[in-house]
Amino acid sequence: MRASRFFISTLKEAPSDAEIVSHKLMMRAGMIKRLGSGIYTYMPMGLKVIRKVEAIVREEMNRAGAIELLMPLVQPAELWQETGRWDKMGPELMRVKDRHGREFAIQPTSEEVITDVVRSEIKSYRQLPLNFYHIQTKFRDERRPRFGLMRGREFTMKDAYSFDRDLEGMQKSYQIMFDAYTKIFTRFGLKFRAVAADNGAIGGTGSHEFHVIASTGEDALVYCPTSDYAANMEAAEALATGTRAAPTAELTKTATPKAAKCEDVAKLLGIELSKTLKTIALTVEQEQDGKVTKQYFMLLLRGDHELNEIKAAKVPGLTGAYRFSTEEEILEVYGCKPGYLGPIGTKAPVTVVADRTVANMSDFVTGANEVDFHYTGANWGRDMAEPHITADLRNVVEGDASPDGKGVLAIERGIEVGHVFQLGTAYSEAMKATYLDENGKPAPLQMGCYGIGVTRILGAAIEQNFDDKGIIWPTSIAPFELVLCPMGLDRSELVKEETEKLYAAAQAAGIDVIVDDRGLRPGAMFADWELIGVPHRVVIGERGLKEGQLEYQGRRDTEATNVPLADIVDFIK
Ligand code: ATP
Ligand code: MG
Ligand code: MG
Ligand code: MG
C-alpha cells in the first residue's frame, strides 16, 4: 500500500465524547467515525484491523471444523416468540415493522434462526455433530452505548452454534471451541484469561467468558494464581458460601428513614439470608409531621427468594406505600447492578457498612436516573461505578481461600471479548429441533453457542497496549506490519530507488507494508505512524543508504537502531 493512495486522517485531539483511551486513540487515528450513539463507520484504517481479526477467527473456526454461513439480519418475530425471547430480551432487542405491520427483530444473536435451519435440515444422527458459524453485524439497543467499539449498538460478532446427539458430544464440541478460542486470543498477542461464568438470560448448563486483561475493564475477574480456578465476579459470588457475614447497611446523616439494614428488612420480610445476591428497589413514602416524603432505596439482600413473592410484604415501622421492583427493572430504571446499597434520588451522603466501610457514596448518588462517576478519567456512569465502588461490599475479596482449596484468590479487571455456552436442549426443545437416533426415535439436539466480539477486540487490544504516543498493535492484528518512511523522496533518486526495492522485497516476503509517500516532514510522519500503532518502522535516508544502513525502530523501542540494508527484511520477518 502507498499512503498517498490510502485514506489516512489523524487528529491531534480526540473529540470530547471519547472517554477511555481506546476510544480516544481510535478516533484520533482515524479508524472509526461516529454516526450516532453506538453506531460507527469503520474507516479504512480501522477496517484493516477488523479484517485481520476476522481472518484469524475464521481460520481457527475452520480449523476446528466449524462451517461458515450467513443469516438474515432482519428476523421474523414469530421465531423469537417460539423461544420466548421476543419478550424476555426486553428493550435491548431492536424491533421493526414492515409495511404490512409484521414485526421483526434485528439480530442481536441468532440462536433462533440457526435452530430453525437445523430443525429442517437435520434428520439423522448420521449428520451430527455440526457446528455452524457466522461473522456478522449484530444490533443490540444497549441502554448505555459507550467507549466507541467497546459497547456499540451495531457491532460485528462471530457466533458459532454446535449441534450434537447427546450431552457428551456437546461437551466435546464445547471443548473444541474453548481450545480454538485459546488459540485465537493467543494469536492476537493479547494477555487474556478464560473464566467460569453464569449463563444469564441465554440459558443452559455451563459457560466461560474470555477476557482481555485491562485495568479499565468493566468486569472483575476472580482467580487463583496457584491453581486453575478462575471465574467472573458473579459466578464467584454465587459459589461463595459461609465465608463472610451478610452485609448490613446503615444510612447516616439522613433524617428519614433512620436506618435500613438488609438483615432487618430480610427478617421483616421473612426471607432467609443466603449467599445469593439479590437487590430490591424499595420506595418508601413516609409521613412525618403531616408531610409525606418519598425515599427510594436500593436494598441488597441475600436470599433465594422470588421477588414477586415479597411484593405484598409489609415493612412495619415504615408507614405508607412501598413497592419492590424486579432486578430487571432496577437495571433498566436505575442502571445499576445488584451488589450495592444506597438511596436513589437523594443527595444525602451514605455510608455503607459491610464488614468494612466503603467510601462516601454521595458522589454517585446525585439523581434518580443520571449519575456521574469518574474513574480513570472516564465517566463510567452509575452502572460502571458499581464494580469500582463496592469492591468492599463484595462477597469475594482478594485473599479469600480459593474454592478448590489450592491457594488464595486474586482479583483483576477484564474486558469480555468472547463467551462460550453449553446451551443443552433449551432451544431445541422450545423449537422442536430433533433428530432421529439409532433406533429411529426423535431426540432433541444438544446445543452450544460461542461468541467473539470482533469489533470489541480492537478496543480491548488498545486498552492493553498503548503509550503516550498512541496505539501499539500486536503485529498479528496491526493495520500494517511495517511502514517505510523515505526521507526526501522528491529530492533523492537513491532514496526513491531503494524505497521501491524495499517495498517490493517486503511485499514478496509477505509483510503487510505501507510506504509513506505523502511527502510529510519527518516529525509529522513519525507522529502519525506512532499514533496509528504500526509495529515496525524503517526510515530510508540518503546518508544511511550510502553506508548501506537503514534506521529501524520497533513501536515499543525507545530509540532507533541501524540495520544493514541487506538484512532488513529478515530482521522484520
Ligand atoms: P456484555 O456483558 O459486555 O454486555 P454480553 O455478555 O451481553 O456482553 P454475549 O451475548 O456474550 O455478550 O455476546 C458475545 C460477545 O459479543 C461478547 O463476549 C462481547 O465480546 C461481544 N459484545 C456483546 N455486546 C457487545 C456490544 N454492545 N458491542 C461490542 N461487542 C459486544
Ligand atoms: Mg450485554
Ligand atoms: Mg457479559
Ligand atoms: Mg457474555
Side-chain angles (χ1 to χ4, degrees):
M1 184 61 69
R2 292 173 199 276
S4 61
R5 294 190 207 153
F6 196 59
F7 190 81
I8 297 166
S9 168
T10 55
L11 296 171
K12 283 234 154 55
E13 299 286 333
S16 59
D17 71 317
E19 291 172 323
I20 59 169
V21 153
S22 58
H23 188 191
K24 283 182 184 157
L25 290 177
M26 287 189 78
M27 295 298 292
R28 286 188 52 208
M31 299 202 165
I32 51 171
K33 207 168 175 65
R34 184 181 185 275
L35 183 63
S37 172
I39 304 177
Y40 290 86
T41 296
Y42 307 142
M43 295 298 282
M45 193 66 80
L47 186 62
K48 278 217 76 184
V49 181
I50 292 171
R51 291 289 185 242
K52 288 197 179 178
V53 170
E54 287 176 353
I56 289 174
V57 170
R58 183 172 278 119
E59 223 173 273
E60 293 301 334
M61 281 297 113
N62 292 344
R63 197 168 282 170
I67 309 162
E68 189 169 8
L69 49 55
L70 286 179
M71 288 180 271
L73 247 63
V74 178
Q75 310 180 344
E78 293 76 39
L79 213 47
W80 286 78
Q81 279 152 357
E82 282 189 50
T83 59
R85 286 212 296 182
W86 181 258
D87 295 323
K88 227 187 273 169
M89 291 281 299
E92 208 169 286
L93 185 67
M94 188 76 162
R95 297 151 212 256
V96 289
K97 277 188 187 152
D98 72 4
R99 63 172 73 197
H100 307 292
R102 290 187 202 110
E103 291 190 291
F104 294 85
I106 300 184
Q107 64 164 357
T109 170
S110 273
E111 282 77 15
E112 279 78 359
V113 173
I114 198 71
T115 307
D116 181 61
V117 168
V118 165
R119 73 177 159 187
S120 66
E121 290 290 332
I122 300 309
K123 308 275 186 283
S124 152
Y125 68 93
R126 289 195 188 87
Q127 294 165 280
L128 300 172
L130 259 182
N131 188 339
F132 289 115
Y133 77 97
H134 64 156
I135 300 178
Q136 223 169 332
T137 299
K138 306 226 165 169
F139 196 99
R140 294 183 183 181
D141 199 359
E142 298 273 357
R143 190 177 41 76
R144 190 194 281 271
R146 62 186 155 230
F147 306 156
L149 299 193
M150 202 78 96
R151 188 171 294 286
R153 292 199 293 169
E154 185 172 311
F155 58 99
T156 306
M157 200 202 290
K158 185 284 301 180
D159 228 348
Y161 308 90
S162 67
F163 297 88
D164 276 274
R165 306 163 59 169
D166 50 25
L167 190 69
E168 207 187 337
M170 184 266 278
Q171 283 167 345
K172 209 166 138 192
S173 297
Y174 183 84
Q175 189 61 43
I176 290 171
M177 283 295 109
F178 188 99
D179 294 343
Y181 274 41
T182 304
K183 284 186 196 139
I184 288 167
F185 291 111
T186 304
R187 283 184 65 182
F188 288 156
L190 299 174
K191 195 169 162 249
F192 69 95
R193 187 184 293 284
V195 298
D198 284 341
N199 279 42
I202 204 160
T205 50
S207 91
H208 286 87
E209 290 170 353
F210 285 75
H211 286 261
V212 164
I213 306 307
S215 57
T216 49
E218 283 186 10
D219 292 297
L221 312 178
V222 182
Y223 68 101
C224 175
T226 51
S227 79
D228 291 339
Y229 178 78
N232 70 15
M233 184 55 88
E234 290 72 26
E237 287 199 310
L239 201 72
T241 48
T243 49
R244 200 165 296 281
T248 58
E250 270 180 52
L251 307 180
T252 59
K253 296 184 196 164
T254 50
T256 55
K258 285 193 204 85
K261 288 189 176 181
C262 285
E263 277 174 344
D264 296 345
V265 175
K267 210 188 280 169
L268 293 169
L269 299 176
I271 295 164
E272 217 175 278
L273 291 173
S274 78
K275 290 291 176 182
T276 313
L277 291 173
K278 284 282 180 198
T279 311
I280 58 172
L282 173 65
T283 312
V284 181
E285 273 176 23
Q286 226 182 6
E287 234 186 275
Q288 255 193 358
D289 310 324
K291 230 174 78 189
V292 177
T293 54
K294 214 174 189 176
Q295 292 257 4
Y296 304 90
F297 289 91
M298 297 288 301
L299 294 180
L300 175 126
L301 295 176
R302 283 140 197 271
D304 298 308
H305 55 276
E306 279 296 322
L307 292 175
N308 325 351
E309 282 173 25
I310 59 171
K311 244 181 196 155
K314 295 250 182 271
V315 185
L318 300 175
T319 55
Y322 44 86
R323 72 187 180 103
F324 299 99
S325 315
T326 62
E327 228 167 71
E328 263 166 24
E329 196 182 339
I330 291 164
L331 271 166
E332 198 44 46
V333 177
Y334 303 116
C336 54
K337 291 181 183 173
Y340 68 83
L341 179 152
I344 305 296
T346 76
K347 290 194 176 186
V350 175
T351 307
V352 174
V353 185
D355 42 353
R356 72 206 77 183
T357 304
V358 202
N360 184 306
M361 291 168 88
S362 63
D363 276 353
F364 84 97
V365 187
T366 54
N369 289 310
E370 256 324 301
V371 162
D372 288 338
F373 176 72
H374 296 271
Y375 180 80
T376 64
N379 183 1
W380 293 78
R382 174 180 290 153
D383 44 350
M384 286 307 101
E386 186 270 332
H388 298 290
I389 283 192
T390 62
D392 285 0
L393 247 189
R394 289 294 191 187
N395 199 28
V396 174
V397 294
E398 289 208 321
D400 277 0
S402 175
D404 63 8
K406 293 181 181 166
V408 291
L409 296 176
I411 295 175
E412 66 187 354
R413 303 204 69 83
I415 299 166
E416 183 192 326
V417 286
H419 201 162
V420 292
F421 296 89
Q422 297 184 14
L423 292 175
T425 55
Y427 288 82
S428 51
E429 278 179 28
M431 295 183 65
K432 301 190 178 58
T434 58
Y435 69 98
L436 296 177
D437 67 15
E438 287 100 321
N439 308 314
K441 280 218 186 82
L445 286 154
Q446 279 280 350
M447 287 175 63
C449 76
Y450 317 94
I452 288 185
V454 169
T455 40
R456 181 179 285 183
I457 286 179
L458 276 68
I462 298 171
E463 289 298 323
Q464 199 180 77
N465 301 284
F466 67 92
D467 63 13
D468 53 357
K469 294 181 196 138
I471 303 167
I472 308 176
W473 290 110
T475 307
S476 63
I477 57 172
F480 295 97
E481 292 167 71
L482 165 67
V483 58
L484 302 180
C485 298
M487 298 291 107
L489 200 56
D490 51 346
R491 284 181 270 112
S492 165
E493 269 309 310
L494 181 62
V495 168
K496 198 171 166 186
E497 228 170 75
E498 288 302 328
T499 301
E500 285 304 316
K501 272 196 218 157
L502 190 53
Y503 180 47
Q507 280 180 315
I511 297 170
D512 190 4
V513 56
I514 185 164
V515 50
D516 195 341
D517 57 352
R518 293 176 297 168
L520 297 185
R521 280 181 298 122
M525 198 192 290
F526 297 165
D528 266 1
W529 296 109
E530 281 164 351
L531 172 61
I532 291 163
V534 171
H536 305 287
R537 181 182 82 198
V538 170
V539 177
I540 305 155
E542 200 170 74
R543 202 180 328 145
L545 282 175
K546 285 183 176 151
E547 289 158 22
Q549 298 284 326
L550 294 170
E551 213 178 79
Y552 169 83
Q553 190 163 352
R555 181 61 183 79
R556 284 185 196 275
D557 299 346
T558 46
E559 33 186 270
T561 42
N562 281 335
V563 177
L565 181 56
D567 301 347
I568 193 79
V569 172
D570 285 341
F571 184 81
I572 288 159
K573 262 267 130 196

